[in-house]
Amino acid sequence: MDNKDLNTNIANQLDALAVSLNNTAKSVREGSLSLTSGPESQLERGKVIKAARGVIDAIKQPADEFIEWLTVLGPMTALRLFLKWKVFENIPTADNTNISYQELADKVGGDVQLIIRLAWVLVSAGLLKQVGTDRVAHTPKSVAYATAAPNPVKALACITYDEFMPAFSAMPKFFTETGLKEPTGRLNTAYAYGQGQPGATVWEIMGQDKERMGNFMMAMGDLTQNWPFLGTYDLSWAVSHVDDKDEDGGQRALLVDVGGSRGHAIKAIIEATPGLPASRCVLEDLPEVVDAVKKSADPDLGEVRLVGMDFHAEQPVKGALVYFVRRCLHDYGDDACVEILKRLTDAMAPDSRLLIVEQVMSNPPSVFAAGTDLVMLSIGGKERTLDNFRDITGRAGLQILQVAQNPGADGALIECAKN
Ligand SMILES: C[S@@+](CC[C@H](N)C(=O)[O-])C[C@H]1O[C@@H](n2cnc3c(N)ncnc32)[C@H](O)[C@@H]1O
């Protein structure tokens, strides 16, 4: 293509993207679409972000890539430092208020020049707003970082920087040492290498720091578009089994959330499934995680059975109606997943169902799935395509009955039964 054709091609792409963005703006204005709240908003925002990125991709030349990296890495770093130093909390949040850089620096105990230079990174990225030449104010985007209490947006910013960045920047050295092989083990991962503890698993490393573990758990509570709780899958069929007995004549467990963390999924499922008694649901995780859940005395988990366990070892709850495993398998390579799944297959009754919630990647994948796959690669895990899931479930003695895919997103629930 000569230069004229290249330019015409770019102009055509821009026209098409402008039409798509105009249509979205019209729907938002008419109120038929919300980009800020409601269950569909994450998906809709994702579509606009994709279209807006399309504009950038249409015009970008190879050297512009570097500028884009800087616009991501710089703000990410300044944001993390400002969170750590509680800078956002010290900028007033009321409408039309602002603070001088000097006063802000005094409040957080920092050198004013340092605070200005980092603030400029965030001002230039549109996260903060400068007022005049020496004052700064929040924007609607930065207010979420201004709360003293933890929240999912702050937690995501922290884990992206604290957990993923060191792993990514360790990769060149890591692969020089390991060779250009797909990492599949739980030990000697790029993540552990980046943290200077190659012999430890990601959970051992994170478990050493309560704040980091807390951020991780909180960040994981979000992102339901990519990892739904049930999504479009209807679990109401399970309610007709309330009279089922277990093999000892006791009440059969109806739902076991394996690796369920703080119980956010089990709570959402109980709420979404009228008639499913909390007392017949089991939350399983590592003993230390379950102890923390017990200590938190969450009233919504009052009747849920809490069981400390290891999903690499024998499943303690046998013959449950439904085993639910969300966002755990992508932490592991194929062989480790088959081992975890086999433990579940061994515990399942012929009518038990296993529900796996993960991203089911398209080929080639979306930018989000490819990005999370790189995070998983750093810990020896992977995001999977449906063919990958067919392979690991088949090797564990399971068959896939249905895939409930979240419309327009990679998140899906895969229903399996024993062969
Ligand atoms: C990525 S989190 C997913 C949590 C939750 N299922 C969700 O969807 O948000 C993985 C969970 O697996 C738990 N886990 C890790 N290793 C485990 C093991 N060997 N046995 C049981 N749970 C484990 C972690 O403590 C963590 O809660």
Side-chain angles (χ1 to χ4, degrees), residues 60-67:
K60 210 165 51 182
Q61 297 297 303
D64 300 329
E65 209 78 58
F66 172 71
I67 295 170

Side-chain angles (χ1 to χ4, degrees), residues 203 259 261 264 285-286 289 309-312 326-328 332:
W203 303 115
S261 186
H264 43 283
D285 208 293
L286 290 167
V289 176
M309 51 84 78
D310 174 3
F311 54 46
H312 303 291
R326 177 173 180 263
R327 218 158 39 180
C328 290
Y332 299 95

Side-chain angles (χ1 to χ4, degrees), residues 225-228 325-332 337 355-361 376 382-384 389 392 403-406 409-414:
Q225 197 62 42
N226 302 87
W227 292 277
V325 188
R326 177 173 180 263
R327 218 158 39 180
C328 290
L329 297 180
H330 72 169
D331 291 343
Y332 299 95
C337 278
L355 308 182
I356 299 171
V357 174
E358 289 288 353
Q359 296 192 82
V360 174
M361 291 200 299
M376 296 310 143
K382 69 199 284 189
E383 302 293 352
R384 293 181 167 83
F389 279 110
I392 58 169
V403 180
Q405 186 90 35
N406 250 14
D410 297 296
L413 182 151
I414 305 169

Side-chain angles (χ1 to χ4, degrees), residues 221-242:
D222 218 350
L223 304 173
T224 51
Q225 197 62 42
N226 302 87
W227 292 277
F229 293 125
L230 288 175
T232 55
Y233 182 82
D234 182 2
L235 186 61
S236 61
W237 65 269
V239 177
S240 62
H241 288 259
V242 280

